[in-house]
Amino acid sequence: MSKSVLTIDGLQYSNWSRAIFEQMRDGGVDAVHATLVYHENCRETLLRFGEWQRRFEEHADLIMPVFEASDIEMARETNRVGIFFGAQNCSPIEDDIDLVAIMRRLGLLIMQLTYNNQSLLACGCYEAEDSGITRFGRQAIREMNRVGMLIDMSHSAERSTLDAIELSERPVIISHANPASFHPAKRNKSDTVLRAIAENGGILGFSVYPFHLRNGPDCTLDEFCGMVADTAELMGIDHIGMGTDLCQAQPESVLTWMRNGRWTKAMDYGEGSQSNAGWPSPLAWFSDNRHFPNIVEGLRQKGFNHEEIEKIMGRNWLRQLTEGTRPAVNAAF
């Protein structure tokens, strides 16, 4: 991919290795939102930061940490991939509001308020009843706004998501999901939510995870790019990007951890089922980071011009990170 197209992926959780970092660079990827934790508590989150510190030391020629959006430009200029961190749950802050600022200082730029289940902050998309944002959640949203941590509602239920948008003084994001109108997965989002995200100034990152796509692993590039075009009409070109949800080379034990954590003894299959419990087969046109040029070409085939493709592939994410992760004026943290 030509370096003229800035490319930022709004979500990955791969089994990180030098080979994958090389694939990122080969695919023209400039920065990736890497999931740091799913269900880990504060101490376990610190261990994950430590693991990444070692990766940055060992692969300094390929990757670098992103603490603020300008670091992505530095990564691009030095032909490296910028890695910025997010949590797919609020478990790193446990029940302590002070941990929001501490996690942000360590480099956690994004935090989901829930991961499928009810949390201390909000309700997840797998619960039967959505009670909305909790009392603690209101305080956490205010603190995340203050320190410059993006609020991510990718795994949250509808009322909770709309509540968060209303309560937040900064744009709220959905880093990795698709429109429910394209495929009615529990994790995909209604047009009501997508319009609210756009009106709030946020962004939707499109997922290539087969469970989120029409026809699953058989979804074609043309179908995917058609979904992007339809969503651009709904939300506006400035509010869409990529959030592939790529989980490359992960063992099935990681999938079990995502779905079950420590909260259940019974097996939870998430978006799968007992008869389809493992990782879905990858898409023919996107199975690793080297395939981002396929999406660029698919968007061109759908009639998007260069400026529009740049926004979808990375510029919108760069703006979101620039504006959303800057601490509030006089925010001491």
Side-chain angles (χ1 to χ4, degrees), residues 137-313:
R138 289 170 178 265
Q139 297 302 316
I141 287 171
R142 183 180 302 171
E143 183 71 351
M144 291 170 75
N145 284 170
R146 186 182 76 86
V147 303
M149 183 185 290
L150 288 171
I151 297 163
D152 187 355
M153 303 302 285
S154 292
H155 284 257
S156 300
E158 180 136 338
R159 177 185 168 188
S160 291
T161 302
L162 295 173
D163 281 357
I165 292 168
E166 182 178 351
L167 290 164
S168 179
E169 295 179 356
R170 294 195 181 202
V172 171
I173 69 168
I174 295 171
S175 63
H176 59 298
N178 292 325
S181 59
F182 180 74
H183 180 61
K186 287 183 179 180
R187 273 263 290 103
N188 284 341
K189 306 304 177 183
S190 72
D191 286 359
T192 299
V193 164
L194 297 181
R195 289 192 189 97
I197 288 287
E199 291 169 3
N200 171 255
I203 189 172
L204 167 71
F206 293 110
S207 169
V208 300
Y209 190 55
F211 282 133
H212 302 158
L213 296 169
R214 182 187 300 163
N215 300 320
D218 296 323
C219 181
T220 66
L221 178 59
D222 182 71
E223 288 175 313
F224 177 84
C225 292
M227 174 190 68
V228 173
D230 291 342
T231 311
E233 290 292 324
L234 177 72
M235 298 182 69
I237 194 68
D238 294 324
H239 302 289
I240 57 176
M242 294 303 303
T244 63
D245 206 3
L246 183 65
C247 297
Q248 187 179 347
Q250 291 283 23
E252 195 164 321
S253 60
V254 166
L255 184 59
T256 300
W257 170 244
M258 292 178 187
R259 292 168 170 173
N260 296 269
R262 288 181 283 252
W263 65 271
T264 178
K265 291 182 178 179
M267 181 63 70
D268 184 84
Y269 295 105
E271 292 159 314
S273 64
Q274 186 171 4
S275 62
N276 185 23
W279 292 105
S281 299
L283 300 167
W285 46 272
F286 196 97
S287 60
D288 66 52
N289 284 276
R290 292 170 294 184
H291 297 152
F292 275 98
N294 292 340
I295 296 176
V296 171
E297 183 56 31
L299 294 174
R300 288 197 182 108
Q301 292 295 323
K302 282 295 179 184
F304 288 99
N305 62 36
H306 180 77
E307 181 182 0
E308 292 168 335
I309 291 172
E310 275 240 319
K311 288 184 175 184
I312 296 168
M313 296 305 296

Side-chain angles (χ1 to χ4, degrees), residues 100-145:
V100 175
I102 292 170
M103 289 296 169
R104 175 61 185 87
R105 182 174 288 279
L106 291 173
L108 195 73
L109 301 190
I110 298 170
M111 186 173 75
Q112 290 184 193
L113 301 193
T114 65
Y115 187 80
N116 295 341
N117 292 352
Q118 175 82 43
S119 75
L120 292 178
L121 306 185
C123 191
C125 60
Y126 274 63
E127 299 287 1
E129 300 293 334
D130 181 3
S131 56
I133 299 296
T134 66
R135 296 172 69 213
F136 183 21
R138 289 170 178 265
Q139 297 302 316
I141 287 171
R142 183 180 302 171
E143 183 71 351
M144 291 170 75
N145 284 170

Side-chain angles (χ1 to χ4, degrees), residues 12-13 33-38 40 45-46 48-49 52 85-88 103 108:
Q12 291 189 24
Y13 186 62
H33 167 200
T35 291
L36 187 68
V37 293
Y38 279 87
E40 288 89 335
T45 300
L46 296 179
R48 300 292 90 77
F49 274 120
W52 269 104
F85 297 120
Q88 291 226 31
M103 289 296 169
L108 195 73

